[in-house]
Amino acid sequence: MTGFDAAEVRRLRTEEQLSVREIRARTGLGRNRIPELLRGVPAPARTRRPRAKDDLRAEAVALRSTGQSVPEIARRLEVSRSTAYLWVRHLPLTRNREEELERRRAHSKVMTDARWAAHRAARDRAQAETHALAARVVGQLDERDLLLLGAAIYWCEGTKSKPWRRDDHVQFVNSDPGLLSLFLRFLEACGVDRAVPTYRVSIHETADPDAAAEWWSTELGVPLERFRRASLKKHNPTTARLNTGDGYRGCLVINVPRSRELYWRIEGMIAELFRSAAHTFVGGCGPSA
């Protein structure tokens, strides 16, 4: 095709606003040749396929011109923030507008906190009253209470024998000082003084095991000389752990030596607890028809 013909194709596009199909019909050129000659020449608006979100995009631009932030635009148009940002990124807010939006967000947070303050206060009062009522139910623990509670928490958190691996000895692991204290009371009710077991801290290697051992010794009233070398857990830098900082003291492992018979006692109490609970449940259903 001559240079004049190429110019004619571009003229048909720019002046007469013809589509590729219409130019082919006018000139007889092949399908692939015309796009090559029209490279860089925008298609006429009437030939463009409308986009489903063109109206939303225009509305986003209009909202941005009034000073709306990207999150506000996304919320109002019910689109993602990333989509809203792509639509209006060519219209950045002025610094004064950004500061104004920040002030508005801060004010909104203050107002929200104020609205919920009364609700939180009422909730905290109700919680405190429920705690007080529940505490009165507990009362003073006697030896039977300690035996049943201790057996139950051991069966939840303690080391247990398996049919394929008999290991009848008492070892209890936990990180809750209250639960550990209750278990030590259980041991005392069974005739095991706090100076009899050995203790071991299980903690991540990034923490201070010696400081943790001293804390557990003081907190539970157990002799520090009964502590064995700590078990250190390898640190995984890709894991975002929340149990860090000064309040992290790992878990405490309580191991009772020569405790096979004590383990059997726990097994017996648990078996009876299960049997009694099942019997009570069946009895509560009333006589069978």
Side-chain angles (χ1 to χ4, degrees):
M1 187 167 189
T2 65
F4 174 80
D5 293 328
E8 177 64 12
V9 169
R10 299 172 74 86
R11 187 194 68 77
L12 292 173
R13 179 66 129 186
T14 56
E15 294 182 10
E16 298 190 30
Q17 299 286 295
L18 299 184
S19 67
V20 171
R21 178 177 296 179
E22 291 167 337
I23 294 173
R24 283 184 60 202
R26 182 79 65 88
T27 64
L29 292 173
R31 178 183 302 174
N32 297 330
R33 181 61 175 158
I34 294 175
E36 181 181 345
L37 296 174
L38 292 177
R39 186 173 298 153
V41 180
R46 69 180 183 82
T47 66
R48 295 175 187 168
R49 179 179 297 176
R51 297 181 180 177
K53 293 186 177 180
D54 279 350
D55 293 342
L56 288 178
R57 182 193 297 268
E59 189 173 352
V61 171
L63 290 171
R64 186 65 158 184
S65 65
T66 65
Q68 298 294 312
S69 67
V70 169
E72 290 171 335
I73 295 172
R75 178 181 56 79
R76 293 187 60 171
L77 301 184
E78 297 182 350
V79 297
S80 68
R81 292 190 180 188
S82 59
T83 298
Y85 170 74
L86 289 175
W87 287 346
V88 302
R89 61 182 174 182
H90 63 291
L91 298 172
L93 293 179
T94 64
R95 183 172 181 82
N96 289 340
R97 177 57 180 163
E98 290 177 349
E99 293 174 352
E100 178 187 348
L101 288 172
E102 185 60 35
R103 287 195 299 270
R104 285 171 55 184
R105 282 192 288 266
H107 177 71
S108 176
K109 183 178 184 304
V110 170
M111 296 300 294
T112 300
D113 290 345
R115 284 196 299 269
W116 283 98
H119 167 75
R120 284 194 293 267
R123 180 200 61 193
D124 292 344
R125 286 194 299 271
Q127 183 183 38
E129 291 172 0
T130 302
H131 284 178
L133 287 173
R136 286 199 289 271
V137 172
V138 176
Q140 186 69 31
L141 296 179
D142 58 22
E143 182 176 340
R144 181 175 183 275
D145 296 331
L146 289 171
L147 290 173
L148 296 180
L149 283 172
I153 64 173
Y154 183 84
W155 214 246
C156 293
E157 301 291 335
T159 301
K160 294 180 282 294
S161 282
K162 306 295 182 184
W164 59 88
R165 178 184 54 81
R166 294 301 302 177
D167 189 15
D168 298 348
H169 83 279
V170 174
Q171 180 174 279
F172 187 80
V173 185
N174 211 267
S175 62
D176 190 320
L179 207 60
L180 289 161
S181 180
L182 185 58
F183 181 69
L184 289 171
R185 289 284 309 278
F186 162 74
L187 291 181
E188 290 173 337
C190 293
V192 180
D193 188 79
R194 298 190 181 206
V196 172
T198 60
Y199 305 92
R200 175 168 46 85
V201 173
S202 178
I203 198 167
H204 282 86
E205 61 183 356
T206 54
D208 186 344
D210 294 334
E214 292 181 4
W215 186 88
W216 283 114
S217 173
T218 303
E219 180 71 15
L220 299 177
V222 297
L224 187 59
E225 60 270 16
R226 295 294 293 169
F227 277 72
R228 299 295 183 258
R229 172 183 279 184
S231 296
L232 300 182
K233 304 175 186 178
K234 188 173 180 59
H235 176 61
N236 183 357
T238 63
T239 301
R241 292 192 298 111
L242 299 180
N243 54 343
T244 60
D246 295 338
Y248 171 59
R249 300 177 182 91
C251 295
L252 186 66
V253 182
I254 302 176
N255 190 71
V256 183
R258 298 178 296 279
S259 54
R260 183 174 63 175
E261 184 178 344
L262 175 58
Y263 182 84
W264 292 345
R265 290 174 62 187
I266 294 173
E267 278 187 322
M269 284 187 284
I270 288 298
E272 181 60 20
L273 278 173
F274 290 169
R275 189 202 65 77
S276 179
H279 178 75
T280 302
F281 175 76
V282 173
C285 293
S288 57

